[in-house]
């Protein structure tokens, strides 16, 4: 996994509460055999008309939002099923950061496993950020737990172990591989 | 210090971590099938990792495989999953028993058959019925796709040690009653979650007298009681089964394996006792494996909302008697009951009889090896002459992922392990039974007591 230290990027806002994993990625796309390639189907029902043309009214389809990597949204983002396909779809689309009022538990953990940073901010901050982000790039500084835009700063907090994993770009497997000497010793003894 | 079998297996595999917390366990054998592995391999590729121990990793195709003309796969998604496994195994150097390979079969049938499943091993697979392999005194359990990737990359897993339940089985089964009935009886008595957070060790005189096939049926369904794994301590029956399957110094292996038992049964966190003398043939009437009754009983009364929903889904009424339940399909197969001994039992029951005109019945051997043995014994003829269809190995009608499905509203007597809503197809109604009960239901078109149908001269349940 790529380390996440500082991310600079543009943000889009979908200020709705309870965006569930079915909306993020509908179940008819779960039969894929890859972990990648889900981005095309992100927010599928909102993003496309019935004839698969783009719905011009959907936020992400607007010209101004064609290179966003940060999503500002409402409460309880990612509720519903446990599918890891939800963070897979968001990262595959290009998102690196989700700023919400709160997150569903499983989604929150799944996000970290996939290098996606979920940030909790209150409504007032999110509204301000949303306005400011219309014309400016945001800087997300994980080390110092700040979102910066122009001269404004918004502080957030992230659980230590999860933060460290992201900062160092460690996934569970990399962490286990830090025990490589012990695994090797075990294998040698078992022979 | 005295220890349980689980203690011994656990301690032999801990690499790191404190007692009472998550500990890093070494995994000796990793089994793969086509459904739960593609994203795990994709993950490896994405992070530029290898399979750490391809020699300890083994794959086959079972869930999606059509059992009629297995070479022709019409379902595009199934075909994609199968060829993904083929490509992944090739790329990462993992041994694969492909659809047409000599040893193909249901992963939990061929692991033991090929001598991969051995006492004292830790065995995982992205599949909950991995508990089957516990019959050999191996610590075997199912894992999710992220964990599959973790094991592929590191040959280890972080785990918290489960507690133990000892189930002592004493007594002798009546003719016509089998280990399937015993496990259905246990589930009916203790429910589908009594084993949560535990490993169940089966022991006692009944288990000692069980064959490996019978022990596998027990452990296979330990997961239906919510347990992480099932266990039986290895003994002479185990060693006899393995004698011709392992290479190397067998005596030394046996000496090591012989130490794998629970020193003192007071060490179990819980102890349950079951007298099997009185266990009758069982069948499930509802929508989870604990909703089962003895063939001597009538269907239960409705006691709660779960019962009400189950009756409604199953299209049955309280207090019906078993012979009022009309059967449309019979499925003899699955990792619970598709071994040669299961087919022998079913064949004895149907020999010289005919499948009822209202019933569609199929027999699906668990592996190519079981199929070859059955052909040698002429079992395929016994079945086809009676009106069964004789199929190629695979998971088949156990789950609705390949062409073998039960139609909506139809009722199936099945030797598999799960009777959840929709498990055998949308709206399908599943009754879990032993191979003997399934076979006799095929003949009558409804449930009957198989004990009354056996000529004692030919049948004994060894
Ligand atoms: S036979 Fe059924 S339970 Fe066994 S592995 Fe196949 S699908 Fe799973």
């Amino acid at each position: 996994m790529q380390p996440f230290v500082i991310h600079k990027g543009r943000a889009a806002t979908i200020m709705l509460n309870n965006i569930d994993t079915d909306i993020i990625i509908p179940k008819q796309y779960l039969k894929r055999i890859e972990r990648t390639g889900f981005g095309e189907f992100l927010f599928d029902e909102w993003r496309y008309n019935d004839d698969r043309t783009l719905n011009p009214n959907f936020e992400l389809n607007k010209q101004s939002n064609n290179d966003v990597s940060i999503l500002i949204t409402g409460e309880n983002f990612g509720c519903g099923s446990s599918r890891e396909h939800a963070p897979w779809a968001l990262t595959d689309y290009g998102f690196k950061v989700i700023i919400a009022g709160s997150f569903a538990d499983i989604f929150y953990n799944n996000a970290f496993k996939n290098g996606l940073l979920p940030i909790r901010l209150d409504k007032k901050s999110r509204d301000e950020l949303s306005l400011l982000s219309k014309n400016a790039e945001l800087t997300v500084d994980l080390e110092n737990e700040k979102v910066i835009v122009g001269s404004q700063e918004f502080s957030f907090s992230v659980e230590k172990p999860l933060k460290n994993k992201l900062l160092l770009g460690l996934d569970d497997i990399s962490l286990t591989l830090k025990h490589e000497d012990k695994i090797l010793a075990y294998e040698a003894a078992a022979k | 210090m005295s220890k349980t079998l689980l203690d011994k297996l656990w301690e032999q595999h801990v690499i790191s971590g404190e007692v009472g917390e998550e500990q890093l366990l070494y995994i000796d054998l990793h089994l793969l099938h086509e459904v739960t592995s593609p994203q795990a391999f994709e993950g490896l590729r994405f992070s530029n990792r290898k399979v750490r121990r391809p020699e300890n990793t083994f794959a086959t195709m079972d869930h999606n495989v059509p059992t009629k003309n297995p070479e022709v796969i019409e379902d595009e998604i199934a075909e994609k999953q199968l060829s993904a496994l083929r490509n992944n195994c090739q790329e990462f150097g993992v041994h694969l028993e492909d659809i047409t390979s000599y040893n193909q079969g249901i992963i939990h049938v061929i692991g033991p058959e090929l001598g991969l499943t051995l006492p004292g091993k830790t065995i995982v697979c992205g599949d909950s019925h991995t508990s089957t392999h516990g019959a050999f005194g191996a610590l075997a359990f199912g894992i999710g796709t992220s964990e599959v990737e973790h094991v592929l990359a590191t040959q280890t897993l972080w785990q918290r040690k489960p507690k133990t339940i000892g189930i002592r089985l004493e007594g002798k089964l009546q003719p016509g009653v089998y280990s399937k009935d015993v496990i259905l009886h246990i589930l009916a008595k203790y429910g589908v979650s009594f084993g949560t957070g535990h490993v169940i060790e089966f022991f006692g005189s009944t288990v000692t007298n069980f064959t490996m096939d019978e022990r596998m049926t027990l452990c296979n369904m330990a997961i239906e009681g919510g347990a992480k794994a099932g266990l039986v301590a290895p003994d002479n029956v185990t060693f006899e089964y393995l004698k011709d399957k392992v290479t190397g110094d067998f005596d030394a292996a046996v000496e090591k394996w012989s130490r794998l038992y629970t020193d003192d049964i007071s060490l179990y966190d819980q102890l349950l006792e079951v007298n099997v003398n009185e266990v009758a043939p069982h069948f499930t009437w509802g929508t989870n494996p604990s909703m089962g009754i003895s063939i001597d009983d009538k269907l239960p009364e409705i006691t709660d909302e779960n019962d009400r929903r189950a009756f409604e889904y199953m299209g049955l009424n309280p207090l019906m008697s078993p012979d009022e339940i009309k059967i449309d399909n019979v499925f003899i197969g699955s990792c619970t009951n598709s071994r040669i001994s299961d087919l022998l039992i079913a064949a004895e029951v149907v020999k010289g009889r005919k499948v009822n005109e209202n019933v569609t019945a199929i027999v699906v051997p668990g592996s190519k090896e079981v199929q070859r043995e059955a052909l040698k014994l002429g079992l395929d003829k016994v079945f086809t002459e009676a009106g069964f269809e004789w199929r190629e190995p695979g998971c088949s009608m156990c789950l609705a992922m390949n062409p073998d499905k039960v139609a909506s509203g139809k009722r199936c007597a099945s030797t598999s392990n799960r009777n959840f809503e929709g498990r055998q197809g949308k709206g399908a109604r599943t009754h879990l039974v032993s191979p003997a009960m399934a076979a006799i239901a095929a003949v009558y078109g409804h449930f009957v007591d198989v004990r009354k149908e056996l000529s004692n001269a030919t049948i004994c349940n060894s």
Side-chain angles (χ1 to χ4, degrees):
Chain A
M1 219 161 65
Q2 291 293 321
F4 187 118
V5 184
I6 287 185
H7 173 73
K8 289 178 199 270
R10 305 216 30 262
T13 302
I14 305 178
M15 200 58 87
L16 291 172
N17 294 338
N18 305 314
I19 293 182
D20 63 54
T21 51
D22 257 299
I23 292 172
I24 300 171
I25 180 90
K27 59 179 156 299
Q28 61 265 37
Y29 302 113
L30 303 187
K31 284 188 170 173
R32 292 177 61 84
I33 51 170
E34 302 88 12
R35 208 178 284 227
T36 49
F38 289 96
E40 188 187 338
F41 311 111
L42 178 70
F43 296 122
D44 198 78
E45 281 174 29
W46 289 347
R47 220 162 113 208
Y48 300 101
N49 297 315
D50 287 345
D51 61 0
R52 301 301 292 173
T53 54
L54 290 178
N55 168 7
N57 298 322
F58 180 58
E59 202 55 33
L60 297 185
N61 290 341
K62 294 186 177 152
Q63 184 71 43
S64 55
N65 282 333
N66 65 10
D67 59 346
V68 295
S69 56
I70 301 168
L71 182 67
I72 304 173
T73 182
E75 299 286 339
N76 197 28
F77 185 83
C79 58
S81 89
S82 65
R83 62 189 67 156
E84 211 166 314
H85 304 72
W88 294 346
L90 287 159
T91 52
D92 192 61
Y93 182 87
F95 282 111
K96 294 266 186 290
V97 181
I98 312 286
I99 303 175
S102 57
F103 294 91
D105 273 352
I106 300 174
F107 177 87
Y108 191 74
N109 288 318
N110 279 344
F112 280 99
K113 276 195 184 151
N114 290 280
L116 179 68
L117 175 63
I119 294 177
R120 287 174 293 228
L121 278 184
D122 60 35
K123 180 82 167 69
K124 190 163 158 286
S125 309
R126 276 178 287 134
D127 284 340
E128 274 181 58
L129 261 181
S130 176
L131 264 180
L132 294 166
S133 68
K134 286 219 162 18
N135 310 310
E137 199 178 63
L138 306 189
T139 300
V140 178
D141 179 348
L142 176 58
E143 177 89 73
N144 297 304
E145 303 187 351
K146 282 189 169 66
V147 181
I148 306 153
V149 51
S151 57
Q152 300 249 45
E153 290 188 359
F154 301 84
S155 294
F156 61 90
S157 78
V158 178
E159 296 78 355
K160 255 244 165 74
L162 293 172
K163 173 176 168 176
N164 287 339
K165 266 198 208 179
L166 265 195
L167 280 175
L168 298 172
L170 296 174
D171 54 28
D172 289 341
I173 294 175
S174 329
L175 282 176
T176 300
L177 290 175
K178 294 200 157 179
H179 298 266
E180 177 69 18
D181 50 340
K182 287 186 196 161
I183 301 175
L184 278 171
Y186 182 94
E187 286 177 327
K191 280 241 163 92
Chain B
M1 209 184 80
S2 40
K3 291 172 183 168
T4 62
L5 171 54
L6 176 67
D7 291 334
K8 294 177 186 178
L9 294 170
W10 194 269
E11 283 165 17
Q12 287 171 14
H13 291 89
V14 170
I15 298 172
S16 182
E18 298 300 314
V19 175
E21 300 190 356
E22 284 206 325
Q23 292 176 299
L24 192 63
L25 288 189
Y26 195 77
I27 302 302
D28 297 317
L29 175 63
H30 188 189
L31 304 170
L32 299 169
H33 62 70
E34 73 274 18
V35 179
T36 50
S37 63
Q39 276 98 355
F41 279 109
E42 172 80 2
L44 290 187
R45 211 172 280 125
F46 195 68
S47 329
N48 221 345
R49 293 191 170 111
K50 291 185 165 41
V51 173
R52 182 184 180 91
R53 296 285 163 220
E55 68 276 22
N56 296 353
T57 312
F58 177 92
T60 194
M61 299 177 172
D62 51 11
H63 284 64
N64 281 324
V65 174
T67 59
K68 262 188 204 170
N69 302 327
E71 299 82 23
V72 189
I73 297 159
E74 284 168 8
D75 177 350
E76 248 173 69
I77 293 163
E79 170 56 36
K80 252 181 115 175
Q81 277 190 333
L82 293 167
S83 51
L85 183 61
R86 201 169 285 135
N87 296 338
N88 286 330
C89 287
Q90 195 164 32
E91 178 179 343
F92 290 91
V94 171
H95 180 88
L96 169 68
E97 292 292 336
D98 209 320
I99 293 190
T100 52
S101 301
Y102 188 77
N103 289 317
Q104 178 266 344
I106 304 171
I107 189 77
H108 310 309
V109 175
I110 66 178
E113 227 170 52
L114 298 173
L116 299 169
T117 302
L118 295 176
K121 276 191 179 181
T122 43
I123 303 175
V124 295
C125 175
D127 194 285
S128 58
H129 292 100
T130 308
S131 61
T132 314
H133 308 262
F136 290 79
L139 178 59
F141 52 92
I143 56 177
T145 295
S146 327
E147 291 173 308
V148 170
E149 183 183 343
H150 192 279
V151 177
L152 286 173
T154 68
Q155 205 59 37
T156 66
L157 262 188
W158 291 96
Q159 291 287 311
R160 209 177 283 274
K161 191 175 167 194
K163 293 187 169 156
T164 49
I165 298 175
I167 300 188
R168 174 160 43 199
L169 304 176
E170 294 290 349
K172 196 170 176 323
L173 297 179
Q174 302 166 32
V177 181
Y178 305 89
S179 67
K180 180 64 163 284
D181 298 302
V182 173
I183 189 68
L184 288 175
H185 169 79
I186 291 171
L187 294 168
K189 195 161 168 191
Y190 298 108
V192 287
S193 59
F194 76 102
T196 305
H198 290 76
V199 167
I200 297 175
E201 183 176 343
F202 299 96
F203 69 105
S205 64
T206 316
V207 183
T208 309
N209 291 324
F210 269 172
T211 63
M212 288 316 295
D213 288 5
E214 291 170 312
R215 295 176 187 186
M216 282 189 256
T217 303
L218 270 188
C219 289
N220 174 274
M221 290 191 74
I223 183 79
E224 308 308 333
K228 179 151 189 106
L231 275 178
V232 175
D235 59 12
N236 286 333
V237 176
T238 323
F239 308 147
E240 190 59 29
Y241 179 100
L242 292 170
K243 197 173 67 199
D244 307 321
K245 298 186 193 289
V246 290
T247 50
D249 188 343
F250 192 67
D251 291 341
V254 167
E255 205 209 303
K256 212 170 66 186
W257 296 338
S258 303
R259 282 176 244 143
L260 297 172
Y261 56 85
T262 292
D263 298 329
D264 179 349
I265 63 167
S266 69
L267 295 170
Y268 296 127
D269 296 293
Q270 274 182 64
L271 181 63
L272 304 175
E273 316 246 3
V274 176
N275 177 353
V276 307
N277 290 320
E278 286 134 44
V279 173
H282 266 61
F283 70 97
T284 63
W285 60 269
T287 50
N288 76 46
S290 78
M291 291 172 150
I293 57 169
S294 130
I295 192 77
D296 298 330
D297 293 337
K298 288 189 181 316
L299 297 195
E301 306 252 21
I302 292 177
T303 57
D304 59 16
E305 176 62 14
N306 288 336
D307 290 349
R308 196 196 58 71
R309 285 198 48 161
F311 272 114
E312 189 183 313
Y313 181 84
M314 294 297 289
L316 298 171
N317 295 313
L319 305 177
M320 277 172 86
S321 65
D323 57 5
E324 290 178 82
I325 302 176
K326 300 267 173 285
I327 301 299
D328 307 294
N329 292 79
V330 168
F331 168 54
I332 297 176
S334 90
C335 58
T336 316
N337 283 124
S338 65
R339 298 177 179 85
I340 193 68
S341 56
D342 299 310
L343 303 194
L344 272 166
I345 289 165
E348 284 292 354
V349 173
V350 299
K351 197 168 194 165
R353 291 166 145 158
K354 288 278 180 238
V355 169
N356 185 281
E357 56 183 12
N358 299 319
V359 174
T360 308
I362 65 172
V363 184
V364 186
S367 69
K368 293 262 164 61
E369 176 61 23
V370 172
Q371 184 185 36
R372 280 190 292 271
E373 251 181 278
L375 293 178
K376 231 188 281 165
L377 297 168
L379 301 188
D380 58 320
K381 295 228 171 51
V382 175
F383 284 117
T384 50
E385 274 164 21
F388 277 84
E389 283 183 49
W390 174 254
R391 297 290 186 84
E392 299 290 319
C395 292
S396 182
M397 212 176 257
C398 176
L399 89 173
M401 246 192 127
N402 55 64
D404 303 341
K405 294 188 179 74
V406 176
S408 185
K410 296 288 181 194
R411 194 178 292 294
C412 181
S414 174
T415 65
S416 57
N417 46 44
R418 280 189 178 149
N419 52 344
F420 299 151
E421 290 186 18
R423 170 76 178 185
Q424 294 188 294
K426 196 168 185 295
R429 294 160 170 167
T430 304
H431 297 273
L432 303 177
V433 284
S434 73
M437 282 288 283
I440 200 70
V443 172
Y444 282 86
H446 58 77
F447 286 122
V448 288
D449 187 344
V450 72
R451 286 172 301 188
K452 301 186 180 134
E453 299 291 327
L454 301 174
S455 72
N456 289 332
T458 54
I459 290 281
C460 68
N461 41 310
S462 56

